[in-house]
Amino acid sequence: MATTSNKRPLPDKVAAMKAKKRQKLDHSGDQTHSAANPKKKAKTASRVDDLAWKDISMPDRMEDYEGFFGLEEVDGVDVVKDASSGQISFLSQNEKAPPQADAKTDETPDDGANDQALNGDEEWFGFDDADQDISEPPAPKPKKSAKSAREGSKAKTAPKVSTTADQGDATAAFELLAENADAVETDVSAWRSLKLSPDTLASLAKLTFPKPTPIQRAAIPEALAGHDVIGKASTGSGKTLTFGIPILERFLELRSGSQRSGQAKAPLALLLSPTRELAHQLDKHLTALCSSGAFEAPSIATLTGGLSMQKQQRLLKNADIVIGTPGRLWEVISSGRGIIKALKQIQFLVVDEADRLLSEGHFKEVEEILNALDRTEDGNEELEGGEDASETSPPPTAVRQTLVFSATFDRGLQKKLAGKGKSGGDLMSSKESMEYLLSKLNFREEKPKFIDVNPVNQLASGLKEGLIECVGTEKDLYLYALLMLHANTRALVFTNSIDAVRRITPFLQNLGLPAIGLHSGMAQKARLRSVERFTQGGVSAKPSSSIMVATDVAARGLDIANVQLVIHYHLPRAADTYVHRSGRTARAGQPGSSILICGPEEVAGVRRLVAKVHAQAAVAHDQSASEAAKQGFYIRTLDIDRRVVARLKPRANLAKKLADVNIAKEKQHKEDDFMRAAAEELGVDYDSEEFEKQASGRQGRGNGRKKKERESRELSKGEVGALKAELKELLKQRVNVGVSEKYLTSGRVDVDELLRQQDEGGSKTGEFLGTVNNLGLDDA
Ligand SMILES: Nc1ncnc2c1ncn2[C@@H]1O[C@H](COP(=O)(O)OP(=O)(O)OP(=O)(O)O)[C@@H](O)[C@H]1O
């Protein structure tokens, strides 16, 4: 049974499947390309109907299913596109035996570009509504995660081209159906207004992203139209794809127009990231965006410190997209080898987390990179063959489009960008902080498009905020209590120092909690492993807990699914840090909580800081500062049951002591090694005890801490063993929380369950545990 093709535009919903099929066709061509393989018999151009289609048998129950009548496949076909006319033809060694009267093929390349290719005189206009059913899978499959979708696409077998036809081999048919069902499972028609290519739509379908987020809807068309864009949107709102999609679209455009072949390949885009973790994450997200299998993905080179520079330089040679942290990028660029010349040709410069990258401290290297990119009479020594790029290529900013993104921008700048600032001083001439730095980006347009999709709130809408007050010396205890009360949670604990991460991580581990540390003092591979372990813990339906204790190296941009709780163990030093730390939860429309642990003397300051974050947003949205202050956001103190906390104290103290012992002993080993090496060099003997006695005789600052360290160090193995045994016993014991059968143990109590039982038992939910678990706040 045959179906005929009718003329109508390609429906979005089937775009994903079409793109995939087109790619399969490409692939089968690749495999047998006669030019590449001269030994093979020469191929001749064929009408699509004349190709040697083979029937694939269908299982009985598929017969006549919603008009899906069968499948055919063809092997050994080259798809050749004429660069000038855009016409596509099919080259094949084997033509079909005289066509059967009813064996009409219509599953072919699907968009206008491929029209005449079918037979030279027929036009292809896609399917009509009746045909659409043919392409639809029999039944919607459950949604797959981007990850499983990616894995699925990797596992694909050799490409085949299929067409509707009569019955054939059942197994092959089912494989094909399964593949195609994957591709069409998400309806991406809500992306239609953005006018994206079928290949990009196929990717979005694979990622199961049914519609654009507000920043994507607003900024992608501007970027596609070639404008410079400064985009502001709350944390977790999809800014990465906001620049990723326009880059992919340009990549696909250039590829199909063969504009990137012939000449030596230069990167299409350069992405700057403030942290190594974020750089690797950008790589992952863009790779996922390009992993639908519908097209050959761009190659991405990620340049960060801590990993092999040689390897990164090698990767750079073939890169379509370069992602880098400023330090390593500058190191690689300044190593020469024509890298600047190549980077001058980029069409996109992306500055992610712009306010951080362009802030004091980070800006020097960024500025050097920008200067190098924009230098017109660049150092000829850098260029190969003595060629001067300024003679042969246009000034870089003329071709380069700049895309700048963050969730936070300086308030004054925000107002000015939005056209609400005081008159006088334009963006390009002002010497004020961020404005001046932005001007260094050399936008190609005088006024970049400023898009602020969340003028009223920098924080995600699903975020709840609260604080817990305790004396400074009990922060560890309250942290533990908080984590116990949030059982089965993926939590991120922020501290202000590497030492704190080194101390708190083993403290929690001693208490049986799955804590992982992350800080910039760790080797890069260990950092990436930590993020990986934290990410992997708890992706199942009932997420197992996992806790990351980190410095602000994890505050920006990290996108880890299902982080339900952010705890500020140390207070953030600035309002934007509060926004970005808190933004690690409540991402992509999910709920999440952000809790600050603060000492009594810190409470007033914290309230001011959080109120400032909320007021800043209000002011940026046209309210006067006094109006915003009047409506001031007041962060609530959470009601945590102090009796429960008190009962957790003995185990917390022991866990802390054991952590201190470990740290002190490790420190001692390091000091000993250092001193021994120094003594050896000086030719004297080193006796650690004697040295210790001399040092302890001296008075001075930090003596109390040193004494404690010494005591910890001096604990014998037996004493440490006894402490461990004591802790083990304590962890087994009930923490009587006032209701007879309820208790907390080391085994991460499921407080939700506890509260539910309690509720069922007649007592009031949340009463004795406090209201921490649901934060007890009105929606802010
Ligand atoms: N259109 C979409 N539909 C559903 N999910 C999306 C969509 N676009 C992006 N996402 C997902 O939302 C999450 C957050 O996106 P992303 O990391 O780009 O946020 P962000 O705005 O850059 O956040 P931050 O400011 O913290 O860096 C990611 O897991 C991403 O895959």
Side-chain angles (χ1 to χ4, degrees):
M1 177 79 73
T3 59
T4 48
S5 60
N6 289 294
K7 303 180 179 189
R8 73 172 193 84
L10 180 73
D12 293 329
K13 214 174 169 190
V14 294
M17 187 178 95
K18 315 259 160 215
K20 176 180 270 189
K21 287 201 167 175
R22 193 169 56 249
Q23 189 246 358
K24 284 190 207 164
L25 199 56
D26 287 349
H27 274 222
S28 47
D30 290 348
Q31 287 175 344
T32 56
H33 200 293
S34 55
N37 192 351
K39 283 187 189 159
K40 290 213 166 185
K41 193 177 140 195
K43 295 180 175 182
T44 51
S46 310
R47 280 164 45 96
V48 70
D49 284 355
D50 295 337
L51 295 172
W53 295 101
K54 283 180 264 173
D55 290 345
I56 297 170
S57 67
M58 300 292 297
D60 290 348
R61 66 198 154 99
M62 286 306 299
E63 269 189 11
D64 207 22
Y65 186 90
E66 299 215 2
F68 192 102
F69 298 118
L71 292 166
E72 285 183 337
E73 65 178 29
V74 65
D75 287 317
V77 178
D78 288 355
V79 184
V80 179
K81 181 166 181 171
D82 185 307
S84 53
S85 67
Q87 274 202 6
I88 289 186
S89 46
F90 299 97
L91 298 184
S92 164
Q93 288 166 348
N94 311 309
E95 283 203 3
K96 203 174 187 171
Q100 312 261 321
D102 61 351
K104 171 95 167 68
T105 62
D106 66 358
E107 194 65 299
T108 49
D110 48 39
D111 57 19
N114 297 334
D115 290 350
Q116 296 90 336
L118 298 175
N119 53 26
D121 54 18
E122 261 181 31
E123 269 193 327
W124 168 259
F125 288 88
F127 297 100
D128 69 5
D129 289 336
D131 296 332
Q132 189 179 348
D133 288 338
I134 295 167
S135 316
E136 295 279 346
K141 287 183 63 170
K143 272 192 181 183
K144 279 171 73 174
S145 68
K147 186 167 179 274
S148 59
R150 278 200 302 286
E151 283 164 359
S153 71
K154 270 188 211 150
K156 301 264 154 33
T157 49
K160 289 178 174 174
V161 180
S162 304
T163 178
T164 52
D166 290 329
Q167 287 188 9
D169 174 62
T171 326
F174 257 102
E175 273 170 19
L176 282 159
L177 279 173
E179 283 186 16
N180 291 336
D182 275 357
V184 295
E185 64 194 348
T186 301
D187 175 2
V188 290
S189 54
W191 291 85
R192 185 183 296 142
S193 62
L194 272 58
K195 300 197 168 58
L196 304 177
S197 64
D199 282 345
T200 302
L201 290 175
S203 290
L204 293 165
K206 266 281 179 199
L207 289 170
T208 65
F209 290 169
K211 61 178 197 300
T213 63
I215 184 71
Q216 290 164 354
R217 192 182 294 281
I220 288 175
E222 299 292 356
L224 288 177
H227 295 298
D228 291 326
V229 174
I230 300 177
K232 176 179 161 286
S234 55
T235 50
S237 60
K239 293 188 284 297
T240 309
L241 291 199
T242 309
F243 53 78
I245 289 174
I247 293 173
L248 173 59
E249 283 287 299
R250 185 74 57 86
F251 171 79
L252 294 169
E253 203 179 295
L254 296 178
R255 179 210 55 179
S256 66
S258 308
Q259 290 173 43
R260 279 174 74 70
S261 61
Q263 48 178 280
K265 192 163 141 183
L268 172 66
L270 173 63
L271 279 56
L272 298 178
S273 151
T275 67
R276 297 170 183 183
E277 283 73 18
L278 181 55
H280 289 281
Q281 182 182 291
L282 290 175
D283 183 332
K284 264 193 188 165
H285 280 203
L286 295 185
T287 303
L289 175 68
C290 301
S291 306
S292 67
F295 53 89
E296 196 184 325
S299 69
I300 302 177
T302 299
L303 315 180
T304 66
L307 299 174
S308 157
M309 174 127 156
Q310 283 70 24
K311 187 175 167 198
Q312 293 177 354
Q313 275 168 334
R314 247 192 344 266
L315 285 175
L316 196 55
K317 281 201 184 117
N318 281 318
D320 296 297
I321 299 172
V322 179
I323 304 171
T325 48
R328 172 55 64 94
L329 190 63
W330 178 239
E331 204 179 336
V332 173
I333 284 183
S334 47
S335 71
R337 308 182 190 198
I339 294 167
I340 294 181
K341 184 183 173 190
L343 286 176
K344 274 169 183 282
Q345 297 171 54
I346 52 166
Q347 300 193 19
F348 291 96
L349 172 66
V350 176
V351 187
D352 197 15
E353 304 294 342
D355 52 328
R356 180 88 184 106
L357 263 177
L358 303 181
S359 66
E360 303 291 344
H362 273 73
F363 189 68
K364 203 175 155 292
E365 279 146 342
V366 177
E367 194 175 27
E368 279 181 306
I369 293 166
L370 297 176
N371 285 342
L373 294 182
D374 291 341
R375 211 174 294 136
T376 42
E377 71 290 64
D378 52 323
N380 292 345
E381 78 285 354
E382 211 277 321
L383 303 173
E384 287 144 345
E387 184 195 354
D388 184 349
S390 60
E391 287 170 12
T392 53
S393 48
T397 45
V399 288
R400 191 176 78 210
Q401 196 176 340
T402 306
L403 308 176
V404 178
F405 286 90
S406 186
T408 50
F409 282 107
D410 165 68
R411 184 172 13 146
L413 175 70
Q414 232 169 281
K415 288 177 74 180
K416 201 163 277 185
L417 288 170
K420 295 171 189 159
K422 286 188 196 123
S423 56
D426 71 341
L427 179 64
M428 297 308 158
S429 64
S430 170
K431 287 269 169 190
E432 286 166 36
S433 60
M434 178 85 179
E435 284 175 81
Y436 168 68
L437 299 174
L438 265 185
S439 75
K440 283 278 186 180
L441 287 175
N442 254 337
F443 291 104
R444 67 174 169 187
E445 293 176 304
E446 205 180 315
K447 208 167 167 21
K449 300 275 174 195
F450 177 56
I451 298 169
D452 182 355
V453 289
N454 301 98
V456 184
N457 207 350
Q458 296 165 301
L459 295 159
S461 54
L463 184 76
K464 291 193 169 189
E465 301 158 85
L467 68 82
I468 281 182
E469 202 180 315
C470 67
V471 291
T473 50
E474 291 198 328
K475 276 195 172 186
D476 290 359
L477 171 63
Y478 274 80
L479 170 66
Y480 173 48
L482 205 45
L483 289 169
M484 289 297 282
L485 290 168
H486 284 79
N488 295 321
T489 294
R490 193 177 281 177
L492 193 41
V493 180
F494 281 105
T495 75
N496 284 349
S497 75
I498 293 177
D499 273 354
V501 175
R502 289 192 175 133
R503 194 176 53 70
I504 295 167
T505 311
F507 161 72
L508 295 175
Q509 286 167 348
N510 288 341
L511 287 159
L513 302 185
I516 302 161
L518 179 72
H519 58 75
S520 59
M522 290 163 64
Q524 184 53 28
K525 288 206 168 131
R527 280 168 70 164
L528 293 173
R529 236 187 350 260
S530 277
V531 174
E532 197 66 19
R533 276 173 60 206
F534 181 55
T535 309
Q536 280 164 1
V539 267
S540 57
K542 180 166 183 169
S544 65
S545 63
S546 102
I547 298 161
M548 177 174 270
V549 185
T551 57
D552 283 326
V553 77
R556 290 263 183 174
L558 272 199
D559 180 56
I560 296 170
N562 301 329
V563 174
Q564 295 111 318
L565 177 63
V566 165
I567 300 176
H568 308 257
Y569 176 91
H570 285 138
L571 301 185
R573 293 195 174 106
D576 63 335
T577 311
Y578 176 71
V579 172
H580 288 280
R581 279 181 177 184
S582 304
R584 296 319 97 212
T585 186
R587 297 176 71 75
Q590 296 297 306
S593 307
S594 164
I595 302 177
L596 300 127
I597 304 180
C598 39
E601 71 290 350
E602 293 174 321
V603 174
V606 139
R607 289 225 155 85
R608 270 199 305 277
L609 181 126
V610 177
K612 188 175 156 196
V613 168
H614 288 260
Q616 237 179 34
V619 170
H621 189 56
D622 241 6
Q623 284 181 354
S624 73
S626 56
E627 259 178 306
K630 258 187 257 159
Q631 297 167 7
F633 180 87
Y634 183 80
I635 188 165
R636 287 262 306 274
T637 301
L638 302 174
D639 177 19
I640 185 165
D641 190 322
R642 310 266 159 183
R643 289 168 303 164
V644 177
V645 178
R647 288 178 189 122
L648 295 173
K649 199 168 179 174
R651 58 181 72 185
N653 284 347
L654 266 179
K656 200 168 164 185
K657 193 162 182 180
L658 280 166
D660 288 346
V661 169
N662 241 352
I663 292 167
K665 284 190 188 280
E666 257 174 37
K667 200 170 160 195
Q668 173 75 40
H669 287 315
K670 276 192 196 144
E671 263 173 24
D672 278 355
D673 287 348
F674 177 80
M675 294 303 290
R676 216 165 272 124
E680 221 174 274
E681 228 161 72
L682 291 169
V684 295
D685 288 335
Y686 170 64
D687 179 342
S688 66
E689 277 179 29
E690 193 182 323
F691 176 80
E692 190 62 41
K693 258 187 234 154
Q694 284 175 13
S696 62
R698 282 180 229 126
Q699 291 296 318
R701 236 174 122 234
N703 249 23
R705 182 172 50 82
K706 282 193 182 137
K707 188 169 163 234
K708 251 182 83 185
E709 266 179 22
R710 203 169 43 249
E711 283 168 7
S712 294
R713 253 188 340 245
E714 281 165 2
L715 282 187
S716 68
K717 262 194 180 164
E719 286 167 317
V720 173
L723 287 178
K724 281 186 180 164
E726 195 185 338
L727 176 60
K728 203 171 162 192
E729 274 314 300
L730 276 179
L731 290 175
K732 279 191 214 154
Q733 282 173 25
R734 295 178 175 190
V735 175
N736 190 327
V737 291
V739 176
S740 56
E741 294 306 311
K742 319 299 175 201
Y743 57 92
L744 297 174
T745 69
S746 60
R748 313 292 333 268
V749 168
D750 183 342
V751 177
D752 280 336
E753 181 57 26
L754 197 61
L755 291 172
R756 196 160 48 248
Q757 286 170 10
Q758 200 188 335
D759 204 24
E760 283 159 8
S763 53
K764 202 178 150 209
T765 301
E767 199 173 59
F768 67 81
L769 287 173
T771 48
V772 175
N773 210 30
N774 57 15
L775 283 185
L777 299 176
D778 299 333
D779 283 339

